[in-house]
Amino acid sequence: MKIAFVGKGGSGKTTLSSLFIRHLAANEAHVVAVDADINQHLGAALGLDDQEAAALPAMGAHLPLIKDYLRGSNPRIASAATMIKTTPPGDGSRILRVREDNPVYDACARTVALDDGDVRLMATGPFTESDLGVACYHSKVGAVELCLNHLVDGPDEYVVVDMTAGSDSFASGMFTRFDMTFLVAEPTRKGVSVYRQYKEYARDYGIALRVVGNKVQSQDDLEFLREETGDDLLVTVGQSDWVRSMEKGRPAPFELLEADNRMALQALQDAAEDSYELRDWGRYTRQMVHFHLKNAESWGNEKTGVDLAAQVDPAFVLHEHLTETAAQPA
């Protein structure tokens, strides 16, 4: 399953995504966690100290390696330099899998030991002072989108992405790359405004969207979220002493997380697993191609100097049972 956590800044999406990652690891799932937020805090939320979090390799800094590896022997892609963030795979492309070892994970992922298991953690890299005025953050998350386009996952395998705040992910097609999107909303007008944006933008793309109410302290908070989000409201989470201790750098064992919050995390996993039966690899591939053609026409062809529409392999469908020989012919 590919899972996104989204929400406005300060909604608690990084905290909830880190709790969900810990929950999955405790349930013996195989997890690749990705920090795609402009503010890189997922590593710290998973227990890394400041030095360890700062030492995480930036995916954006390894984009040439990522492109060269994923291109493989695909004859439709003349060089890694002609790949853009939306380039889809085709015959000859290399496909990423959650459990394997490969040069992309070697360069960009680090193993994080949690109480109940290990997860792989990847990060886009922070938006630095040198980027100001010369780059946009979408150039950073392009490496994540490219990897998601080339990744297949199966049962008990999860890719959990902590997305950038607000509705910025709609500046590319990355919002269509997920089996389930959990939108974290506080019981305030600002808290539900991002939900409305997501609901509107995602309407035409079949996006599975569920709301997680956070910082819910009263029945009135709950009723407010129910009125504003309706049946999309999946579960609510209240204040947590465990989270407060973790944020102070003194986390207790994860098994001591409050029972209500453990049940809420299980509800998220159940909802994700329910959506697994609905995954449509054909639609997933068509959406990938759709956004690639849009990006090619709007800026990609001019930037690369080639017709990027020619990169599309019309007979190729990304799917769970894709074999090595089908993806990478000799």
Side-chain angles (χ1 to χ4, degrees):
M1 307 298 299
K2 301 179 185 72
I3 309 295
F5 279 82
V6 301
K8 80 172 186 65
S11 64
K13 66 179 182 59
T14 297
T15 297
L16 280 168
S17 60
S18 71
L19 292 176
F20 186 59
I21 290 164
R22 291 175 184 271
H23 171 80
L24 292 175
N27 285 351
E28 301 183 345
H30 300 270
V31 183
V32 173
V34 183
D35 191 344
D37 194 353
I38 191 170
N39 298 306
Q40 304 270 278
H41 296 311
L42 184 58
L46 291 173
L48 300 185
D49 61 30
D50 291 345
Q51 184 175 1
E52 291 169 329
L56 289 172
M59 295 178 69
H62 294 281
L63 192 54
L65 179 150
I66 293 171
K67 289 181 176 181
D68 191 59
Y69 178 76
L70 296 179
R71 181 171 70 97
S73 60
N74 187 334
R76 296 175 178 272
I77 304 175
S79 68
T82 63
M83 294 180 74
I84 62 175
K85 62 183 181 180
T86 55
T87 295
D91 280 343
S93 298
R94 289 192 175 98
I95 303 302
L96 300 176
R97 299 176 187 276
V98 170
R99 305 190 200 189
E100 70 179 1
D101 294 319
N102 58 54
V104 173
Y105 291 154
D106 290 344
C108 302
R110 294 295 180 265
T111 299
V112 177
L114 302 176
D115 291 351
D116 302 298
D118 297 343
V119 301
R120 275 178 167 145
L121 174 61
M122 305 171 75
T124 60
F127 197 66
T128 63
E129 185 175 349
S130 63
D131 295 318
L132 296 176
V134 298
C136 71
Y137 191 66
H138 305 116
S139 64
K140 300 280 188 180
V141 300
V144 179
E145 185 169 357
L146 195 59
C147 287
L148 290 176
N149 281 355
H150 290 75
L151 187 144
V152 296
D153 51 279
D156 299 321
E157 295 178 342
Y158 285 81
V159 180
V160 180
V161 183
D162 180 21
M163 299 281 278
T164 192
S167 56
D168 281 356
S169 61
F170 287 99
S172 73
M174 196 159 76
F175 72 98
T176 66
R177 302 297 83 201
F178 302 100
D179 297 291
M180 176 62 71
T181 296
F182 291 124
L183 190 144
V184 182
E186 299 169 87
T188 65
R189 291 176 62 187
K190 288 184 178 180
V192 299
S193 63
V194 173
Y195 160 74
R196 295 196 189 98
Q197 287 180 299
Y198 252 85
K199 187 74 171 178
E200 179 181 354
Y201 294 157
R203 181 177 53 215
D204 297 329
Y205 294 95
I207 304 302
L209 177 67
R210 302 302 302 270
V211 175
V212 181
N214 193 28
K215 305 177 185 178
V216 174
Q217 300 180 13
S218 67
Q219 184 66 26
D220 185 65
D221 286 347
L222 177 59
E223 291 302 324
F224 175 82
L225 287 172
R226 283 177 174 165
E227 291 172 3
E228 296 293 331
T229 64
D231 292 339
D232 287 337
L233 181 62
L234 174 64
V235 72
T236 62
V237 178
Q239 298 296 323
S240 169
D241 291 337
W242 191 96
V243 169
R244 181 61 59 88
S245 295
M246 182 267 292
E247 291 174 340
K248 292 177 179 177
R250 301 195 296 265
F254 185 64
E255 63 183 14
L256 298 181
L257 180 70
E258 297 86 355
D260 287 350
N261 290 331
R262 292 295 292 265
M263 290 177 62
L265 295 173
Q266 185 59 52
L268 300 188
Q269 185 176 3
D270 291 343
E273 290 179 349
D274 287 345
S275 71
Y276 180 83
E277 303 299 326
L278 304 175
R279 57 169 35 186
D280 182 342
W281 287 106
R283 183 180 69 183
Y284 187 86
T285 304
R286 289 192 300 272
Q287 290 176 340
M288 187 191 312
V289 170
H290 169 75
F291 283 103
H292 178 62
L293 296 177
K294 286 186 65 174
N295 279 266
E297 183 178 352
S298 64
W299 63 270
N301 290 344
E302 182 178 356
K303 180 177 181 179
T304 61
V306 299
D307 179 11
L308 296 176
Q311 294 180 342
V312 176
D313 183 344
F316 185 87
V317 176
L318 191 70
H319 59 87
E320 184 178 330
H321 303 293
L322 197 67
T323 65
E324 285 293 312
T325 53
Q328 304 174 58

